[in-house]
């Protein structure tokens, strides 16, 4: 079975600072990996996904993530935080041919002026 | 508009009421899901439908009853709920093959 671990339930950054949200996965077969963002009282919106093509994946709103098999990681980064990035971020994993996603517990990103 | 529409957005119901949540997608996806999101708890997968057949049921109490009449619609029928069932209920859909979900905006359910 697959699983994901998100390190840190809350991450605080200043506006303009680097954003780094950590995700490690466990999977016995090559995984598909996803990052989702959730704003208050909204559903989850797909930021980006890795599906075994390029290991550096670019998503919406300036976010990107790098798949590192040796570290079983898929950390989310953004060079410069904006106030509008404040939200909860979820990492998720699925395996090829089986569509159910397994989500991490989420990381709340707080951005201060 | 995300492509997955959930109604109602907010619902307050008593413990003896019967109500239904509705989810609709016109993305051509053939799998649909119900998730429960409670405060300070991880997302809980409740039900999975693939090609209108229920393929997963994660030990959800019988007071929650899903229905998938066709590939575009998914319902969650609720009856005799408990206050701990208050949560955000999220619907999602996906194509086959693990290519990610599209989520609706959710129904905020409060049981009084």
């Amino acid at each position: 079975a697959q699983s994901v671990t998100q390190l840190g339930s809350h991450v605080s950054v200043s506006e303009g600072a680097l954003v780094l949200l950590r995700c490690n996965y466990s999977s016995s077969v090559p995984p598909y990996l996803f990052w989702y963002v959730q704003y208050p009282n909204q559903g989850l919106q797909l930021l980006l996904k890795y599906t075994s093509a390029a290991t550096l994946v670019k998503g919406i709103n300036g976010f990107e993530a790098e798949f590192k098999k040796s570290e079983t990681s898929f950390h989310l980064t953004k060079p410069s935080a904006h106030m509008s990035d404040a939200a909860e971020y979820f990492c998720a994993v699925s395996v090829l041919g089986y569509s159910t996603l397994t989500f991490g517990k989420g990381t709340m990103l707080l951005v201060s002026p | 508009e995300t492509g997955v529409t959930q109604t109602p957005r907010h619902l307050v119901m008593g413990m003896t009421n019967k109500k239904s949540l509705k989810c609709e997608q016109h993305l051509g996806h053939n799998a649909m899901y119900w998730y429960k999101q409670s405060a300070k708890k991880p997302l809980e997968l409740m039900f999975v439908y693939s090609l209108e057949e229920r393929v997963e049921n994660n030990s959800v109490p019988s007071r929650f009853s899903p229905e998938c009449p066709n590939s575009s619609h998914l319902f969650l029928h609720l009856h005799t709920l408990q206050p701990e069932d208050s949560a955000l209920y999220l619907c999602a859909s996906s194509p086959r093959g693990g290519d990610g979900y599209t989520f609706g905006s959710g129904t905020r359910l409060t049981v009084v």
Side-chain angles (χ1 to χ4, degrees):
Chain A
Q2 67 270 20
S3 66
V4 290
T5 302
Q6 291 185 242
L7 297 176
S9 59
H10 292 78
V11 170
S12 295
V13 300
S14 299
E15 192 172 22
L18 171 71
V19 175
L20 171 60
L21 304 182
R22 300 179 186 273
C23 174
N24 289 90
Y25 70 91
S26 172
S27 176
S28 57
V29 297
Y32 283 7
L33 293 159
F34 307 82
W35 276 100
Y36 285 83
V37 61
Q38 185 180 31
Y39 299 100
N41 290 313
Q42 294 292 319
L44 279 67
Q45 179 185 2
L46 182 66
L47 273 179
L48 50 80
K49 62 183 178 184
Y50 166 77
T51 57
S52 75
T55 56
L56 182 62
V57 182
K58 295 186 184 298
I60 62 172
N61 302 338
F63 284 93
E64 63 182 36
E66 185 172 8
F67 172 71
K68 291 187 177 180
K69 184 178 179 180
S70 61
E71 298 177 8
T72 61
S73 68
F74 191 58
H75 301 330
L76 182 70
T77 61
K78 182 174 180 178
S80 177
H82 192 272
M83 297 295 290
S84 61
D85 294 326
E88 189 157 23
Y89 292 79
F90 293 89
C91 182
V93 62
S94 72
V95 296
L96 182 61
Y98 183 63
S99 60
T100 302
L101 291 182
T102 300
F103 286 87
K105 294 183 178 181
T107 298
M108 183 67 72
L109 177 64
L110 307 170
V111 183
S112 56
Chain B
E1 181 59 56
T2 65
V4 177
T5 303
Q6 289 188 243
T7 54
R9 289 296 311 274
H10 301 274
L11 178 62
V12 179
M13 59 185 289
M15 289 190 285
T16 59
N17 291 160
K18 290 185 179 181
K19 296 287 184 183
S20 296
L21 309 185
K22 180 182 176 182
C23 177
E24 185 173 357
Q25 61 93 7
H26 295 288
L27 300 169
H29 291 169
N30 42 33
M32 297 186 77
Y33 312 81
W34 280 116
Y35 278 85
K36 177 183 179 183
Q37 188 177 35
S38 306
K40 299 183 180 180
K41 292 178 72 174
L43 279 164
E44 300 173 56
L45 178 63
M46 300 176 73
F47 301 105
V48 180
Y49 276 82
S50 178
L51 297 173
E52 302 156 40
E53 282 191 43
R54 190 190 310 180
V55 297
E56 196 162 334
N57 175 352
N58 281 355
S59 303
V60 179
S62 59
R63 57 185 183 270
F64 295 92
S65 175
E67 179 189 2
C68 188
N70 55 60
S71 60
S72 298
H73 295 86
L74 184 65
F75 295 89
L76 188 62
H77 304 299
L78 316 171
H79 65 98
T80 59
L81 295 192
Q82 304 298 311
E84 61 264 29
D85 297 323
S86 299
L88 182 67
Y89 287 85
L90 292 165
C91 174
S93 69
S94 72
R96 300 188 78 181
D99 202 30
Y101 295 175
T102 300
F103 279 87
S105 297
T107 295
R108 173 67 64 184
L109 173 67
T110 303
V111 181
V112 298

